[in-house]
Amino acid sequence: MIDSLLLNLEQHDLLTDQERDILRRILGRERRFLAGEDLVVEGSRPGYSSLLVDGFAARYKLTAEGTRQITAIHVAGDFVDLHAFLLKTMDHGVIALSPCHVSLSDHFDLKQVTEQHPHLTRMLWLDTLIHGSIHRAWIVAMGRRSKVSHLAHILCELYVRLGVVRRTNGWAFHFPLSQGEMADVLGLSLVHMNRVIQTLRRERLISWSNHTITILDWDRLQEVAEFDPTYLSLSVEPR
C-alpha cells in the first residue's frame, strides 16, 4: 500500500528493512475520497497526516471573492500534510483532483518516530524540504516566466515526479486535471489557459487528450521551461 512512498524516499537515500516496516505499521489506516472532496479542510486541526497512495490532490487557498489559487499538485507517494504534525492548524485546504486513495498516520506515531528513529526522521524531513523547493520553483515560474514556460515547467516536473513512483508510460502520463483546474494553478482565466495549452500543442511539444499528456519533444520542452531538476534532489546519498 505504501510502495509509492518507499519509491519516493528511496530516490534520495536507502531505507533499512526496519524503517520500511515502521512506515507500514504507522500507515495502516486507509481512506478514499471522490474528486472534489477535501482531504484536509482549512482551519482544521487534524490528528494525523495523509499519504497519497494513488490519485492527484492539490493544496489551495480561496480569496474573499471566492477565487481559488492552487499552490501545489500532489501525486502518489506524497505526504500532503506532514507539516500539520507540527503546525497543528491548517492554513490551507487539500482537495482531491481525482479519486484519491489515502493512508493515514497518527501524529502520536509520527512523534515516536522522531524520538526513536533519527534517520527515518531525516528522510521525512527531507520530504517536506523538497516540497518547499518545489514551492520556490513554482513562485519563480509564476513571477518571472512566461505562461507558456510556466506550464512547460510544471509538466516537466510532474513527468519526473511521476516517473519516480512509476506512474508514467514511456513519455506519457495520466493527468486528470481540467483546463479550469490548471487555470487555478497558473492564475489565469480559462480562455488564457486554453491559449497557453494550444501554444505547446502547436509547437508539437505535447499532446493532451483523454486525460493523458504525452511529451513529444522532451529536450525542447525542457528548453522552453528552463527546467533543471536539481531542486527535486534526485540523488541517492547518505542523509
Side-chain angles (χ1 to χ4, degrees):
M1 185 175 62
I2 65 163
D3 285 352
S4 55
L5 174 63
L6 299 180
L7 288 168
N8 192 5
L9 294 180
E10 292 198 313
Q11 184 63 50
H12 313 295
D13 191 9
L14 299 180
L15 298 174
T16 65
D17 289 341
Q18 181 192 30
E19 289 169 336
R20 296 188 196 97
D21 289 342
I22 289 168
L23 290 172
R24 291 187 182 99
R25 176 178 58 79
I26 69 172
L27 286 159
R29 289 194 295 143
E30 299 179 63
R31 285 195 64 185
R32 294 183 183 271
F33 296 84
L34 299 175
E37 285 190 283
D38 273 341
L39 281 65
V40 185
V41 177
E42 181 175 357
S44 65
R45 292 176 59 88
Y48 53 83
S49 288
S50 305
L51 168 71
L52 187 57
V53 176
D54 198 24
F56 284 75
R59 298 188 201 182
Y60 73 96
K61 291 281 290 185
L62 295 175
T63 67
E65 292 77 22
T67 56
R68 180 176 68 172
Q69 180 65 50
I70 289 177
T71 63
I73 296 174
H74 287 293
V75 301
D78 286 354
F79 261 112
V80 301
D81 61 344
L82 188 58
H83 52 289
F85 169 43
L86 293 177
L87 291 180
K88 305 305 182 186
T89 301
M90 291 292 290
D91 66 347
H92 60 279
V94 180
I95 191 170
L97 298 175
S98 71
C100 286
H101 181 189
V102 170
S103 186
L104 308 176
S105 178
D106 289 339
H107 288 167
F108 175 80
D109 291 329
L110 287 172
K111 185 173 186 291
Q112 286 192 315
V113 168
T114 64
E115 293 173 347
Q116 300 172 16
H117 304 282
H119 178 252
L120 187 53
T121 298
R122 291 195 299 274
M123 293 298 290
L124 294 176
W125 181 20
L126 176 63
D127 186 67
T128 63
L129 293 176
I130 291 171
H131 286 304
S133 296
I134 292 171
H135 189 64
R136 286 190 292 276
W138 277 39
I139 290 174
V140 172
M142 181 168 285
R144 295 300 180 184
R145 299 190 195 282
S146 71
K147 293 307 180 181
V148 171
S149 177
H150 186 181
L151 177 59
H153 195 279
I154 288 174
L155 297 182
C156 287
E157 176 193 293
L158 286 172
Y159 177 75
V160 171
R161 291 169 60 198
L162 288 166
V164 167
V165 292
R166 301 177 185 172
R167 295 301 202 278
T168 57
N169 181 15
W171 290 107
F173 58 93
H174 176 64
F175 192 65
L177 278 70
S178 67
Q179 290 190 20
E181 287 165 332
M182 284 305 296
D184 287 346
V185 173
L186 273 70
L188 298 176
S189 68
L190 185 56
V191 171
H192 194 178
M193 185 70 241
N194 182 263
R195 290 174 182 159
V196 172
I197 294 170
Q198 293 306 321
T199 299
L200 292 181
R201 283 174 166 159
R202 187 168 56 251
E203 295 295 322
R204 294 198 54 77
L205 298 177
I206 65 165
S207 68
W208 187 341
S209 64
N210 298 322
H211 298 303
T212 298
I213 291 178
T214 303
I215 296 174
L216 303 177
D217 192 327
W218 174 245
D219 291 338
R220 285 183 58 221
L221 188 66
Q222 285 189 102
E223 183 179 348
V224 169
E226 299 180 10
F227 180 69
D228 177 355
T230 300
Y231 67 102
L232 299 175
S233 298
L234 299 174
S235 60
V236 179
E237 54 186 294
R239 305 285 180 174

